[in-house]
Amino acid sequence: DPAREYVAVVVAALQRGPACWHQVGGGHPASIEDSGPWLYVLDHGTSRAGRRPGFSYTGSLRPYRVSPRRPVAEGILLPDYAADGDPRAEQAAPARSTPPVVSAAQAEKLRAVCRMGREIVDAAHRVIKPGVTTDEIDRVVHDKHMEFGAYPAPLNYHNFPKSVCTSVNEVVCHGIPDMRQLEDGDIVNIDVSPIFDGFHADLNETFCVGPGVTQKKKDLIKASHDSLMKAIDACKPGFFYRDVGGIITSHINGCGFAVDKTYCGHGVGEYFHCAPNIPHYAGNKAKFVMKVGHCFTIEPMINTGTWKDVHWADGWTAVTKDGKPSAQFEHQLLMHESGAEILTARLPTSPPLWWEEGAQPGAATPVL
């Protein structure tokens, strides 16, 4: 039964320290009881199953088993949804309807947590290669949060089961890390959102896996990246949030791709998601204009074919309706009189972009 994957883990104590290896495979003899803790996610994370759910999958990707929730280190401040999945404070906040204005002191806290977010994404990039599971990426991301003393905002937010979203190939967003091994030619988006000292960061990048990534996927990656940067360049006080989508759509249409219309950028700061909503497509009806002190994300999801998406049975994983690849990039921005400060900007130590001079041929390379 190819739907019944297994994972074998070997841990050994070596002279240089402990080491761990794992092997992922499919199927097992019917005589062996399938009672492991790795299960399929269903119903927006509220339930689990021992067999892969039936679904009319649009592309070649399939869900795999998901490991148990990773523990949070003692002493890390937990959000109100950590236990039951319900972000009550966020839902009741005035910031849900009116964009908050960030003070100078709050801006410093945002810079600190966004620096953490950048370093976490860079740490994830460094382990991406063919054969690595997205669950292993989740482990790296989770452990880096613990090292910083930060809480990974996705963990149990509306019952999302993991600390990072890993969106592979046709997955538009909100992919759940599982035991599937990345393959040469894949692309994978890593979406990270730490909480520290009461404030959130939110950023994502898409990476190539191995030397086999097609030119079409690379073109998608570059177009997606450039559309984001063009939108950021236009940001200034008095600029209408609704006009961000026109800039992105103009660039993407010229590249022969499509802007996903389901998801949008958003305000972020004390809360994971708040006003304003920032659609990425032209002709939207978004409210508000940019003001000094607004903190928000722009995060266009760009599809190779149709803009439309559907959700897997887990309730989280959004995939393109035609099964073709999608890429996404996100920065968190703070508005000043002179324009937008990119709080999640790349560091001198960040791994190189795939199209930059000096990128290693065949290496997994980030695209933002």
Side-chain angles (χ1 to χ4, degrees):
D1 182 354
R4 306 185 73 182
E5 298 87 11
Y6 66 82
V7 58
V9 180
V10 178
V11 180
L14 305 177
Q15 187 173 8
R16 67 175 184 269
C20 177
W21 297 267
H22 73 271
Q23 175 64 44
V24 177
H28 56 74
S31 61
I32 299 178
E33 183 180 0
D34 182 20
S35 57
W38 293 59
L39 298 168
Y40 295 98
V41 173
L42 297 173
D43 303 322
H44 289 88
T46 61
S47 63
R48 301 290 188 273
R51 286 181 174 271
R52 179 179 292 157
F55 186 77
S56 296
Y57 296 99
T58 62
S60 61
L61 198 69
R62 299 291 184 271
Y64 281 63
R65 293 174 184 268
V66 174
S67 65
R69 179 174 169 177
R70 290 187 161 85
V72 175
E74 186 176 352
I76 291 179
L77 184 64
L78 304 179
D80 61 354
Y81 57 82
D84 63 8
D86 185 10
R88 291 174 293 277
E90 177 182 280
Q91 293 170 343
R96 291 284 291 182
S97 57
T98 303
V101 175
V102 172
S103 69
Q106 291 172 328
E108 286 305 311
K109 292 184 177 183
L110 283 165
R111 291 187 183 98
V113 71
C114 286
R115 169 67 180 248
M116 292 178 186
R118 163 50 55 191
E119 293 192 23
I120 292 168
V121 166
D122 289 349
H125 159 252
R126 293 186 180 101
V127 302
I128 290 176
K129 62 181 180 180
V132 171
T133 65
T134 49
D135 183 79
E136 173 65 8
I137 297 170
D138 179 75
R139 184 195 64 77
V140 169
V141 167
H142 186 88
D143 288 353
K144 196 69 175 176
H145 279 83
M146 300 304 100
E147 177 186 324
F148 283 134
Y151 185 88
L155 187 60
N156 214 38
Y157 181 78
H158 292 291
N159 300 296
F160 188 83
K162 288 296 176 181
S163 298
V164 61
C165 297
T166 54
S167 300
V168 179
N169 296 337
E170 68 262 28
V171 179
V172 176
C173 62
H174 302 157
I176 299 173
D178 59 23
M179 66 191 300
R180 179 188 180 273
Q181 293 176 316
L182 294 174
E183 299 177 357
D184 182 25
D186 285 345
I187 59 173
V188 56
N189 180 274
I190 306 298
D191 196 339
V192 163
S193 306
I195 311 173
F196 184 78
D197 200 14
F199 284 83
H200 297 69
D202 198 4
L203 70 155
N204 71 59
E205 301 182 347
T206 302
F207 301 83
C208 296
V209 182
V213 178
T214 66
Q215 189 60 49
K216 186 74 170 181
K217 285 183 177 179
K218 290 182 177 180
D219 290 344
L220 175 71
I221 284 169
K222 188 65 164 62
S224 305
H225 166 268
D226 290 353
S227 73
L228 169 61
M229 301 313 294
K230 285 178 179 291
I232 292 173
D233 286 345
C235 292
K236 60 183 179 181
F239 191 75
F240 286 91
Y241 283 107
R242 65 173 180 251
D243 291 336
V244 168
I247 294 170
I248 292 169
T249 299
S250 177
H251 181 76
I252 292 303
N253 285 354
C255 295
F257 300 119
V259 179
D260 192 282
K261 299 181 181 181
T262 303
Y263 299 95
C264 61
H266 54 88
V268 60
E270 290 187 86
Y271 303 102
F272 196 0
H273 299 94
C274 64
N277 288 331
I278 308 169
H280 303 113
Y281 60 90
N284 67 80
K285 305 297 182 182
K287 298 189 296 183
F288 305 114
V289 299
M290 297 178 186
K291 295 182 179 180
V292 173
H294 282 186
C295 187
F296 55 93
T297 70
I298 301 176
E299 47 184 296
M301 284 140 274
I302 308 304
N303 300 344
T304 303
T306 180
W307 68 264
K308 296 181 179 180
D309 54 68
V310 296
H311 284 86
W312 281 358
D314 60 36
W316 278 107
T317 306
V319 296
T320 57
K321 192 171 183 179
D322 57 11
K324 296 180 180 179
S326 181
Q328 182 192 8
F329 312 99
E330 175 182 23
H331 268 314
Q332 184 166 328
L333 311 170
L334 179 61
M335 186 55 54
H336 299 279
E337 288 288 358
S338 58
E341 175 186 357
I342 304 178
L343 298 174
T344 48
R346 296 179 58 82
L347 302 171
T349 55
S350 296
L353 309 177
W354 73 259
W355 57 82
E356 285 185 326
E357 184 180 357
Q360 294 300 311
T365 51
V367 294
L368 178 63

